[in-house]
Amino acid sequence: MAAPAHIIVVEDEATQREVLVEYLSRQGFRVSGADSGPALRRLTERELPSLVLLDVGLPDGEDGFALARWLRERSARVGIIMVTTATDMVDRVVGLETGADDYIPKPFEPRELLARIKSLLRRIAASAGANAATPSTGRLRVGRCVLDLDRRILIDPTSGGETRLTASEFDLLKVFAENPNRPLMRDWLMEVTAHRDMEALDRSIDLRVARLRRKIEADPAYPTAIRTVRSVGYMFVPPTD
Ligand code: CA
């Protein structure tokens, strides 16, 4: 059997936190409680959890939105569910801008929360499976093209024409392909692709994305493969047909 998923419950109100920790533990998860941003940071120092349940209203200036952004900068894979109140004025857009995967308004039924947690963990597992299945050699479909991972070129399947990629373009495209359907933050993209050459350092992610779009999108003016996620960065959407 797989190890139970580790969930961190960030909630400053002690009773609410304990109720959630106890409830989720009874559902078979490994659960830790954190009452603040600093407590969350301590808990995630050694190991990132599978999922974080993040109360928006936290004391001391650092709210759940800030912590969601911080978590997302560290990992594209950790699941984030925001726990909101009516006054948080949260909507889907805000959730996406912070990099959160989902949100649930207080008060909520424990079963509703459990359903969302399970659904998100399934999505993460499916995406990890897709990542594991992403070959480091061979060919991948990206936009209207096929990426040849060995020769580091793009192939136009219609004409058979080949397009060269610079090292930093190839790195960025590979990171996109390995993290499909997830909003990826600019800073994170910069960090994971900045090791190779000077071009990666002096060209912003936006410029590199624009160049990639000209190479892989059917219509670069209306990109569908590398989509813009407002205030966050970009999301790669693999071809579905
Ligand atoms: Ca609170």
Side-chain angles (χ1 to χ4, degrees):
M1 246 182 72
H6 182 206
I7 298 177
I8 298 180
V9 175
V10 185
E11 167 64 67
D12 57 302
E13 213 278 302
T15 309
Q16 288 184 32
R17 186 176 64 246
E18 282 155 20
V19 165
L20 284 172
V21 168
E22 200 201 313
Y23 173 73
L24 293 172
S25 302
R26 270 190 280 127
Q27 305 301 321
F29 298 109
R30 184 157 66 92
V31 192
S32 316
D35 64 355
S36 63
L40 173 68
R41 286 169 207 270
R42 274 196 301 280
L43 277 171
T44 54
E45 245 165 36
R46 280 158 174 264
E47 174 210 4
L48 279 171
S50 305
L51 191 147
V52 178
L53 197 61
L54 204 46
D55 184 34
V56 169
L58 295 170
D60 305 330
E62 198 173 38
D63 65 9
F65 294 130
L67 290 176
R69 277 185 221 106
W70 174 79
L71 273 172
R72 189 53 83 222
E73 277 170 25
R74 292 196 61 196
S75 166
R77 301 198 210 292
V78 58
I80 303 174
I81 298 179
M82 311 295 299
V83 179
T84 67
T85 59
T87 53
D88 289 326
M89 306 278 281
V90 69
D91 58 22
R92 291 268 161 197
V93 176
V94 171
L96 201 58
E97 282 180 1
T98 57
D101 298 288
D102 198 0
Y103 72 93
I104 185 164
K106 285 182 191 173
F108 50 78
E109 288 290 326
R111 270 192 221 178
E112 165 72 5
L113 175 68
L114 185 63
R116 301 225 188 177
I117 286 175
K118 285 185 171 171
S119 151
L120 179 53
L121 288 174
R122 272 196 301 272
R123 267 154 61 199
I124 294 168
S127 139
N131 292 341
T134 304
S136 55
T137 63
R139 292 181 170 192
L140 285 175
R141 288 180 64 206
V142 290
R144 62 177 185 83
C145 296
V146 174
L147 174 64
D148 185 319
L149 289 160
D150 303 306
R151 296 171 60 209
R152 303 187 166 220
I153 54 162
L154 285 170
I155 299 162
D156 182 333
T158 319
S159 67
E162 297 181 350
T163 308
R164 283 180 48 83
L165 290 168
T166 66
S168 72
E169 283 171 350
F170 175 79
D171 285 354
L172 185 57
L173 194 50
K174 193 157 175 285
V175 167
F176 276 130
E178 286 167 352
N179 296 278
N181 301 312
R182 296 205 68 122
L184 304 174
M185 297 192 71
R186 272 190 191 76
D187 291 350
W188 184 80
L189 287 168
M190 191 67 121
E191 198 183 304
V192 297
T193 60
H195 58 283
R196 188 188 290 273
D197 59 14
M198 287 311 289
E199 186 198 24
L201 293 176
D202 64 14
R203 273 189 186 278
S204 77
I205 288 292
D206 296 329
L207 280 172
R208 288 156 67 195
V209 165
R211 286 178 50 172
L212 277 179
R213 280 173 170 165
R214 284 199 291 276
K215 292 180 177 178
I216 70 166
E217 298 281 356
D219 182 353
Y222 299 96
T224 56
I226 303 177
R227 298 184 191 181
T228 300
V229 182
R230 197 165 62 89
S231 306
V232 175
Y234 298 98
M235 180 165 76
F236 174 70
V237 180
T240 49
D241 56 328

